[in-house]
Amino acid sequence: MSSTYDQEIEELLALYQRQRAGAAETRRRINGTTGTATAPRQTVKVTANAQGEVTAIEFPTGAFRRLTPKELSEALLTTIAEARRDALEQVTHLTDLRLPSGASAAALLRGTADPADLLSEEPGMPDQVRDYIDNGLDNGSSRG
């Protein structure tokens, strides 16, 4: 009978390890996400990462030369905001955001929280299960 019990525990631990690995993969994918936006008439193109930081500003054409400083400033600010929104939207699609209580989706989406931190190093379990994992079943004991 303990063989079935051992197998169940091994399956639970394997599931837990897969969840931790999945959290690490989610973090990797979030960190690799970028959003891009291009202003009308291609005056400016902006790329932002998942944390909302601008990683590139390009001027694909000479159209920016025909803008007043105020127009160029507005084009930059608007395009930066659009690139940030694009990155955030992509991150949202990467995650289903079914988070445990106390977890902050905003922190995850800004990249300031590590999804692996949502799961402890050791899975929560009843004391009896923990004792069994640490010490094994005593001879003659039964699951009760």
Side-chain angles (χ1 to χ4, degrees), residues 92-104:
T92 301
H93 290 304
L94 290 175
T95 61
D96 64 9
L97 298 181
R98 284 185 241 158
L99 303 174
S101 68
S104 167

Side-chain angles (χ1 to χ4, degrees), residues 51-135:
Q51 293 77 28
E53 298 169 347
V54 174
T55 58
I57 297 176
E58 302 171 41
F59 298 95
T61 67
F64 72 94
R65 290 184 183 101
R66 293 185 293 278
L67 299 178
T68 66
K70 182 179 180 187
E71 290 170 328
L72 181 57
S73 174
E74 289 172 2
L76 277 165
L77 291 173
T78 300
T79 308
I80 288 170
E82 288 175 14
R84 287 178 171 165
R85 276 192 300 274
D86 183 45
L88 183 60
E89 184 177 314
Q90 289 183 51
V91 169
T92 301
H93 290 304
L94 290 175
T95 61
D96 64 9
L97 298 181
R98 284 185 241 158
L99 303 174
S101 68
S104 167
L108 283 170
L109 294 174
R110 283 192 308 268
T112 57
D114 186 345
D117 291 341
L118 299 176
L119 301 170
S120 63
E121 282 291 326
E122 295 292 326
M125 62 186 74
D127 291 339
Q128 291 172 314
V129 173
R130 172 66 58 208
D131 187 52
Y132 176 77
I133 290 172
D134 292 342
N135 305 309

Side-chain angles (χ1 to χ4, degrees), residues 24-74:
E25 174 62 14
T26 297
R27 175 66 177 193
R28 185 193 67 72
R29 292 175 69 191
I30 288 171
N31 285 341
T33 298
T34 60
T36 303
T38 304
R41 298 181 301 176
Q42 297 190 7
T43 53
V44 63
K45 178 180 176 183
V46 175
T47 302
N49 64 21
Q51 293 77 28
E53 298 169 347
V54 174
T55 58
I57 297 176
E58 302 171 41
F59 298 95
T61 67
F64 72 94
R65 290 184 183 101
R66 293 185 293 278
L67 299 178
T68 66
K70 182 179 180 187
E71 290 170 328
L72 181 57
S73 174
E74 289 172 2

